[in-house]
Amino acid sequence: MDVNAAVAAAAAIAGLCTGVIAVLAFRWSEREQKRPTRTSLHTDAVLPPGVDTVLSVLRSSAVVLDESDSVVKASSAAYALGLVRGGKLAVEPMLHMARDTRRDGEIRQVELDLPRRGTGRGDALAVSARVAPLGSRLVLLLVEDLTEARRIEAVRRDFVANVSHELKTPVGALSLLSEAVMDASDDPEAVMRFAGRMQIEATRLTNLVQELIDLSRVQNDDPLEDSEPVRVDELVAEAIDRSRHTASTKQITMASNVGAPAGLEQGGGGRRAGTADLSIWGNRGQLAAALGNLVENAVNYSPARTRVGISARRVGAPGGDLIEIAVTDQGIGISEKDRERIFERFYRVDPARSRATGGTGLGLAIVKHVAASHGGEVTVWSSEGQGSTFTLRLPEAGAARDRSTTGPDRVDEDDDRPYDTDPNSEIPAPEVLP
């Protein structure tokens, strides 16, 4: 009888322990479910109704802080900018602003430069921070990234400054030369000399204004609005005609593998196979201006009695075939530090030489914008003392062709220097300017 009582007592104690453990486990589970996650950090119930929805559609980075400076709500952009770390606001100046606003209820705004996270670059991240009270306990912080806006503003300021300088130079020269002509009215030879200089400066001013107009047009116009299939041989012929006189004066030989332009002697057995039918989809005027600038630069910056080569080929690409047009010269070449900046507006490798050749520093900037707006690119290969090769790569008109990877026009896109662009090599079907 005593044994049965002991067993019953033990069973009762075991049942009681099991019940206690079950109750504790249930309480612990409820507590875990209510624990805040990393995205919310606190329950959304502390936010006023509708605030969570508004914050989710804001373009600015948003952070909500409570009275203990803990983050109640933070947008994904705030985490991306590095504003929030470990549930706390990581930017000390913003934290001080939030505390001041919580104390007096005033709205505050400040612009800050923050270090970029994980990039290793020295440039800072420019932001505008605005702090406002949100109810009686919370503070709302809105942060706007101003980095790109500042960069665009800096480019605009530089552009205006450069345009002002470039315009004042020929205008000032014309003013001085006109005064010189008036003072030398009794000296016919001096008048002729000054008049010649005035013509040079007037031409320079005209070219500068025209290239400014061209640059503005390629930046603002949509080339797809007036797109059409444009034959590459026609573009090459137009570019050669544009520089024909200058090349003849300097005894520069111009050779191409893309069909002979009208009026030029064609040798070597006709056009190179595979290049006569090349065409590009785009705005004809912009494409002609871009290629014309490349050929004109090659002629202007080449020594006398040298050779300028123009070649075209079809290049296979994952998204469809590309047309590659390369312009090669035998000039002095471009240094590595200058190659990084030659496509900037008004940048000149040799300002004195550019003034002598009438260069404005806008030609390559126009080429870059035309290539980008047509879904392509322009690249440069150069070696000091050997010359340079500028290459335009643009989508081919029509559907991509099913070509063999071993065909004559299929090339390795990893080559540093394009095929058939060595000005000393024999380019098929050369077109020579006497």
Side-chain angles (χ1 to χ4, degrees), residues 371-408:
S373 64
H374 284 75
E377 64 174 352
V378 58
T379 59
V380 58
W381 176 96
S382 186
S383 179
E384 292 186 82
Q386 297 185 30
S388 305
T389 296
F390 287 85
T391 304
L392 268 174
R393 293 185 181 91
L394 299 165
E396 183 179 16
R401 305 190 178 193
D402 184 17
R403 300 172 57 85
S404 170
T405 56
T406 59

Side-chain angles (χ1 to χ4, degrees), residues 174-288:
L174 287 172
S175 177
L176 293 174
L177 289 169
S178 64
E179 293 178 4
V181 168
M182 293 178 62
D183 294 338
S185 57
D186 296 334
D187 187 349
E189 292 184 3
V191 170
M192 290 294 295
R193 184 171 66 255
F194 292 140
R197 287 293 304 164
M198 291 178 68
Q199 287 183 335
I200 293 175
E201 294 298 333
T203 301
R204 178 183 174 189
L205 181 60
T206 301
N207 292 338
L208 176 59
V209 172
Q210 183 59 51
E211 292 203 345
L212 285 172
I213 294 173
D214 292 340
L215 180 60
S216 177
R217 182 179 294 116
V218 300
Q219 285 181 312
N220 297 325
D221 290 353
D222 183 2
L224 299 180
E225 292 182 357
D226 301 316
S227 293
E228 59 179 327
V230 182
R231 292 176 58 91
V232 173
D233 56 353
E234 294 176 357
L235 292 177
V236 172
E238 187 174 339
I240 291 177
D241 286 340
R242 174 173 166 176
S243 300
R244 182 199 303 266
H245 177 71
T246 305
S248 299
T249 302
K250 299 175 67 174
Q251 298 180 355
I252 291 177
T253 301
M254 300 180 70
S256 170
N257 71 337
V258 193
L264 293 182
E265 180 182 357
Q266 181 177 353
R271 296 176 179 175
R272 180 185 178 189
T275 63
D277 60 342
L278 299 182
S279 59
I280 300 170
W281 184 263
N283 183 290
R284 180 183 182 85
Q286 293 187 14
L287 293 173

Side-chain angles (χ1 to χ4, degrees), residues 38-318:
R38 181 182 182 274
T39 56
S40 63
L41 298 176
H42 285 275
T43 60
D44 293 338
V46 300
L47 290 176
V51 172
D52 191 15
T53 303
V54 172
L55 295 182
S56 65
V57 298
L58 286 178
R59 300 181 64 180
S60 304
S61 302
V63 180
V64 179
L65 303 175
D66 63 12
E67 64 272 14
S68 62
D69 293 333
S70 296
V71 176
V72 176
K73 183 72 177 179
S75 63
S76 57
Y79 284 104
L81 289 178
L83 304 179
V84 178
R85 301 177 194 171
K88 296 289 185 180
L89 186 62
V91 182
E92 199 66 25
M94 295 182 186
L95 188 58
H96 291 317
M97 288 175 56
R99 290 170 180 170
D100 293 340
T101 297
R102 187 184 299 112
R103 185 180 62 252
D104 55 25
E106 292 186 5
I107 298 176
R108 289 174 169 81
Q109 184 170 352
V110 67
E111 292 188 2
L112 300 171
D113 291 331
L114 306 179
R116 292 181 182 268
R117 295 182 59 195
T119 61
R121 296 184 298 177
D123 52 341
L125 188 70
V127 298
S128 174
R130 185 179 179 87
V131 180
L134 186 63
S136 58
R137 299 170 46 224
L138 304 179
V139 173
L140 173 63
L141 171 67
L142 297 177
V143 180
E144 191 77 24
D145 188 356
L146 303 178
T147 307
E148 184 65 14
R150 283 193 180 181
R151 187 192 67 81
I152 294 175
E153 182 61 28
V155 170
R156 184 180 294 109
R157 286 197 305 268
D158 291 342
F159 181 72
V160 172
N162 287 329
V163 168
S164 300
H165 172 74
E166 295 294 336
L167 288 176
K168 283 195 293 187
T169 301
V171 169
L174 287 172
S175 177
L176 293 174
L177 289 169
S178 64
E179 293 178 4
V181 168
M182 293 178 62
D183 294 338
S185 57
D186 296 334
D187 187 349
E189 292 184 3
V191 170
M192 290 294 295
R193 184 171 66 255
F194 292 140
R197 287 293 304 164
M198 291 178 68
Q199 287 183 335
I200 293 175
E201 294 298 333
T203 301
R204 178 183 174 189
L205 181 60
T206 301
N207 292 338
L208 176 59
V209 172
Q210 183 59 51
E211 292 203 345
L212 285 172
I213 294 173
D214 292 340
L215 180 60
S216 177
R217 182 179 294 116
V218 300
Q219 285 181 312
N220 297 325
D221 290 353
D222 183 2
L224 299 180
E225 292 182 357
D226 301 316
S227 293
E228 59 179 327
V230 182
R231 292 176 58 91
V232 173
D233 56 353
E234 294 176 357
L235 292 177
V236 172
E238 187 174 339
I240 291 177
D241 286 340
R242 174 173 166 176
S243 300
R244 182 199 303 266
H245 177 71
T246 305
S248 299
T249 302
K250 299 175 67 174
Q251 298 180 355
I252 291 177
T253 301
M254 300 180 70
S256 170
N257 71 337
V258 193
L264 293 182
E265 180 182 357
Q266 181 177 353
R271 296 176 179 175
R272 180 185 178 189
T275 63
D277 60 342
L278 299 182
S279 59
I280 300 170
W281 184 263
N283 183 290
R284 180 183 182 85
Q286 293 187 14
L287 293 173
L291 184 58
N293 284 344
L294 291 181
V295 175
E296 188 174 26
N297 280 352
V299 172
N300 287 338
Y301 291 93
S302 291
R305 294 179 294 278
T306 55
R307 181 184 178 96
V308 170
I310 308 168
S311 66
R313 60 180 178 175
R314 181 181 292 109
V315 180

